[in-house]
Amino acid sequence: RAAAQALGLADDLTASSLLRLPDLLRPCLLPDDPLDVWPLMERAVQAALEKLDAMRLREGGALERDLRARFAALEALSREIAALAPAVPAAYKAVLERRLSDLLGVVQLADPALVAREVAVFADRCDVSEELTRLASHFAQVTKVFDAGGACGRTLDFLCQELFREINTTGSKANDAAISRRVIDFKAGLEAVREQVQNIE
């Protein structure tokens, strides 16, 4: 503008004309030494990490409470199965005696030794005590994993697989409608647990 005034030229200098000049304006977002901004960046990163940790702790606590409740419900179902299992052979014996009585007639009774042998074979075939013992052991392991803290996703996933194997065997051996219903409920609940476990490190 001073040059234009001295030379008697029209003052046509505008912001848009300045912006069209190459390399006249050069943005300077960072100082020449990047370490000059490190204190500011360090505070920002530290605050972000602290918030991330706090959020993960809240989420982890919520997941733990949810999973503990779900595992407790599964354990309750296994206890119900354990309470029903001993009565299965006795119920089978009563059904067998009734059917034999209907088949042979009221006058002729079935051989008690034969009935006892058949019931013993059935009782052995439908015995789920080993599976129930292993289920109880797995539930105890789940509690230990939660109480120990730390990364536990893979361990819980493995325990879910083991629980599924035991309850599946229980369902195939039990030969009882009431137990089968609880096995189905157990499997449905366990599937929900496995989906939730995928969200854990």
Side-chain angles (χ1 to χ4, degrees):
R1 285 197 171 104
Q5 188 177 12
L7 296 172
L9 301 174
D11 183 0
D12 61 352
L13 186 63
T14 63
S16 58
S17 62
L18 286 173
L19 290 172
R20 282 195 295 269
L21 297 174
D23 295 327
L24 181 68
L25 298 175
R26 183 165 52 92
C28 185
L29 300 177
L30 292 174
D32 293 333
D33 185 1
L35 290 178
D36 289 347
V37 296
W38 173 244
L40 179 63
M41 290 178 62
E42 184 180 23
R43 286 197 303 275
V45 170
Q46 187 65 39
L49 289 174
E50 287 171 3
K51 288 184 179 179
L52 175 65
D53 278 346
M55 187 235 5
R56 291 182 70 203
L57 281 171
R58 285 194 304 273
E59 184 181 0
L63 279 173
E64 180 183 353
R65 287 188 297 276
D66 179 69
L67 284 171
R68 279 186 186 265
R70 290 177 188 271
F71 276 115
L74 294 177
E75 192 170 10
L77 282 171
S78 71
R79 283 196 296 268
E80 289 177 22
I81 292 170
L84 292 168
V88 173
Y92 175 75
K93 181 181 180 207
V95 170
L96 181 63
E97 287 176 338
R98 189 178 68 247
R99 287 181 179 171
L100 286 172
S101 176
D102 291 345
L103 181 66
L104 300 173
V106 180
V107 179
Q108 185 180 1
L109 296 175
D111 181 7
L114 183 65
V115 171
R117 188 164 49 250
E118 177 64 25
V119 170
V121 169
F122 175 82
D124 185 57
R125 205 169 50 235
C126 71
D127 180 27
V128 292
S129 57
E130 289 181 21
E131 288 76 16
L132 292 172
T133 299
R134 284 192 288 269
L135 278 173
S137 172
H138 295 329
F139 284 122
Q141 287 296 316
V142 167
T143 302
K144 283 183 183 177
V145 167
F146 280 131
D147 292 344
C152 60
R154 289 181 187 229
T155 305
L156 289 176
D157 189 47
F158 172 75
L159 286 169
C160 284
Q161 293 174 34
E162 294 301 304
L163 287 166
F164 180 81
R165 184 164 59 178
E166 299 304 337
I167 200 64
N168 203 40
T169 307
T170 300
S172 63
K173 288 172 68 175
N175 209 344
D176 179 77
I179 290 177
S180 295
R181 282 194 297 274
R182 283 161 178 82
V183 166
I184 291 169
D185 292 342
F186 191 107
K187 286 182 178 180
L190 184 59
E191 186 57 34
V193 167
R194 288 185 76 172
E195 287 178 11
Q196 192 71 289
V197 163
Q198 302 308 311
N199 297 316
I200 299 177
E201 282 186 12

